[in-house]
Amino acid sequence: MNWMKTIVTITDSEGLAIALHRYLRCTYSDDIESYYMTYRNKSAQLYGALYKQTDLFILEMFRSYDLGLRAEAIPVTENLWNNGKKAVIVCGSAKGEKIGSSIYWDLGSRVSFCELLKGVTTQVIDWENELSKLKEIFKEYCFTPSHHRHSYTVFSRF
């Protein structure tokens, strides 16, 4: 497997991050470097060298805030793609078959998680169209948290 070497998983809960990390380690064994963190501690753990060497980010769709759930992965993915990085979004729902996105996976998706990862890293993706579709579907969860002083963008320092 030479289509990716370093994967970083960022989720709301540490349990999901660990589960995805273990899945990647079992599926790809020593072929990849896998790191995981939560949205809360990503700033401390996602240092420059790790960010630069990462081939793929796996992001949980939702993050919990005082105001409720936010579709955190959408702005993060948008920013990553704008900076030349690839990302996929995972979610605990089962709407994947209806959504039909090449950058989104959940339990209802038609393709396996491995197939989605390979597709994102080996094929040309119209990420603007993919993100537009996800923004429309999850629009009720697209809000700016009160502590964000600027826009909907995350990872603005990269």
CSV table of all heavy atoms in Angstrom, one decimal, residues 8 34 37 39 41 51 56 69-70 99 108 114 118 121 140 156:
chain,number,residue,atom,x,y,z
A,8,VAL,N,-4.0,11.1,10.3
A,8,VAL,CA,-4.3,11.7,11.6
A,8,VAL,C,-5.9,11.6,11.7
A,8,VAL,O,-6.6,12.1,10.8
A,8,VAL,CB,-3.8,13.1,11.7
A,8,VAL,CG1,-4.4,13.8,13.0
A,8,VAL,CG2,-2.3,13.1,11.7
A,34,SER,N,-0.2,6.1,12.2
A,34,SER,CA,-1.5,6.5,12.5
A,34,SER,C,-1.5,7.3,13.8
A,34,SER,O,-0.9,6.8,14.8
A,34,SER,CB,-2.5,5.3,12.6
A,34,SER,OG,-3.7,5.8,13.1
A,37,MET,N,-6.3,12.1,17.9
A,37,MET,CA,-6.5,13.2,18.9
A,37,MET,C,-8.0,13.6,18.9
A,37,MET,O,-8.7,13.2,18.0
A,37,MET,CB,-5.6,14.4,18.6
A,37,MET,CG,-5.8,15.0,17.3
A,37,MET,SD,-4.4,16.0,16.7
A,37,MET,CE,-3.2,14.8,16.4
A,39,TYR,N,-10.8,16.9,19.0
A,39,TYR,CA,-10.9,18.3,18.6
A,39,TYR,C,-10.4,19.2,19.7
A,39,TYR,O,-9.8,20.2,19.5
A,39,TYR,CB,-12.4,18.7,18.2
A,39,TYR,CG,-12.8,18.2,16.9
A,39,TYR,CD1,-13.8,17.3,16.8
A,39,TYR,CD2,-12.2,18.7,15.7
A,39,TYR,CE1,-14.3,16.8,15.5
A,39,TYR,CE2,-12.6,18.2,14.5
A,39,TYR,CZ,-13.6,17.3,14.4
A,39,TYR,OH,-14.0,16.9,13.2
A,41,ASN,N,-8.0,18.8,22.0
A,41,ASN,CA,-6.6,18.9,22.2
A,41,ASN,C,-5.8,18.9,20.9
A,41,ASN,O,-4.6,18.8,20.9
A,41,ASN,CB,-6.1,17.7,23.1
A,41,ASN,CG,-6.3,16.4,22.5
A,41,ASN,OD1,-6.5,16.2,21.3
A,41,ASN,ND2,-6.3,15.4,23.4
A,51,TYR,N,1.6,17.9,10.9
A,51,TYR,CA,0.6,18.4,9.9
A,51,TYR,C,1.2,18.3,8.5
A,51,TYR,O,0.5,17.9,7.6
A,51,TYR,CB,0.3,19.9,10.3
A,51,TYR,CG,-0.6,20.6,9.3
A,51,TYR,CD1,-2.0,20.4,9.3
A,51,TYR,CD2,-0.1,21.3,8.2
A,51,TYR,CE1,-2.8,21.0,8.4
A,51,TYR,CE2,-1.0,21.9,7.3
A,51,TYR,CZ,-2.3,21.7,7.4
A,51,TYR,OH,-3.2,22.3,6.5
A,56,LEU,N,-3.5,12.1,5.0
A,56,LEU,CA,-5.0,12.1,5.1
A,56,LEU,C,-5.4,12.3,6.6
A,56,LEU,O,-4.8,11.8,7.5
A,56,LEU,CB,-5.5,10.7,4.7
A,56,LEU,CG,-7.0,10.4,4.8
A,56,LEU,CD1,-7.7,11.3,3.7
A,56,LEU,CD2,-7.3,9.0,4.6
A,69,LEU,N,-24.7,20.2,19.1
A,69,LEU,CA,-23.7,19.6,18.2
A,69,LEU,C,-23.4,20.6,17.0
A,69,LEU,O,-24.3,21.2,16.5
A,69,LEU,CB,-24.3,18.3,17.6
A,69,LEU,CG,-24.4,17.2,18.6
A,69,LEU,CD1,-25.1,16.0,17.9
A,69,LEU,CD2,-23.1,16.8,19.1
A,70,ARG,N,-22.2,20.6,16.6
A,70,ARG,CA,-21.8,21.4,15.4
A,70,ARG,C,-21.1,20.5,14.4
A,70,ARG,O,-20.4,19.5,14.8
A,70,ARG,CB,-20.8,22.4,15.9
A,70,ARG,CG,-20.2,23.2,14.7
A,70,ARG,CD,-19.2,24.2,15.1
A,70,ARG,NE,-18.7,25.1,14.0
A,70,ARG,CZ,-17.5,25.3,13.8
A,70,ARG,NH1,-16.5,24.9,14.5
A,70,ARG,NH2,-17.2,26.1,12.7
A,99,ILE,N,-26.7,10.1,1.1
A,99,ILE,CA,-25.8,11.2,0.9
A,99,ILE,C,-25.0,11.0,-0.3
A,99,ILE,O,-24.8,11.9,-1.1
A,99,ILE,CB,-25.0,11.5,2.2
A,99,ILE,CG1,-25.9,11.9,3.3
A,99,ILE,CG2,-23.9,12.5,1.9
A,99,ILE,CD1,-25.3,12.1,4.6
A,108,GLY,N,-24.3,3.6,6.9
A,108,GLY,CA,-25.2,3.4,5.7
A,108,GLY,C,-24.5,3.5,4.4
A,108,GLY,O,-25.2,3.4,3.3
A,114,CYS,N,-12.5,1.3,4.0
A,114,CYS,CA,-11.2,1.2,3.3
A,114,CYS,C,-11.3,1.7,1.9
A,114,CYS,O,-10.4,2.3,1.4
A,114,CYS,CB,-10.7,-0.3,3.3
A,114,CYS,SG,-10.1,-0.8,4.9
A,118,LYS,N,-9.2,4.8,0.2
A,118,LYS,CA,-8.4,4.6,-1.0
A,118,LYS,C,-8.8,5.6,-2.1
A,118,LYS,O,-8.0,6.2,-2.8
A,118,LYS,CB,-8.4,3.2,-1.5
A,118,LYS,CG,-7.5,3.0,-2.6
A,118,LYS,CD,-7.3,1.5,-3.0
A,118,LYS,CE,-6.2,1.4,-4.0
A,118,LYS,NZ,-6.0,0.0,-4.4
A,121,THR,N,-7.7,9.2,-1.6
A,121,THR,CA,-6.2,9.4,-1.8
A,121,THR,C,-5.7,9.0,-3.2
A,121,THR,O,-4.6,9.4,-3.5
A,121,THR,CB,-5.4,8.6,-0.7
A,121,THR,OG1,-5.8,7.2,-0.8
A,121,THR,CG2,-5.7,9.1,0.7
A,140,GLU,N,-28.3,22.6,9.5
A,140,GLU,CA,-28.8,23.0,10.9
A,140,GLU,C,-27.7,22.8,11.9
A,140,GLU,O,-27.8,23.4,13.0
A,140,GLU,CB,-30.0,22.1,11.3
A,140,GLU,CG,-29.7,20.6,11.4
A,140,GLU,CD,-30.9,19.8,11.6
A,140,GLU,OE1,-31.4,19.6,12.7
A,140,GLU,OE2,-31.4,19.4,10.5
A,156,SER,N,-7.0,27.9,11.0
A,156,SER,CA,-6.6,29.1,10.3
A,156,SER,C,-5.1,29.4,10.4
A,156,SER,O,-4.6,30.1,9.6
A,156,SER,CB,-7.4,30.3,10.8
A,156,SER,OG,-7.2,30.4,12.2
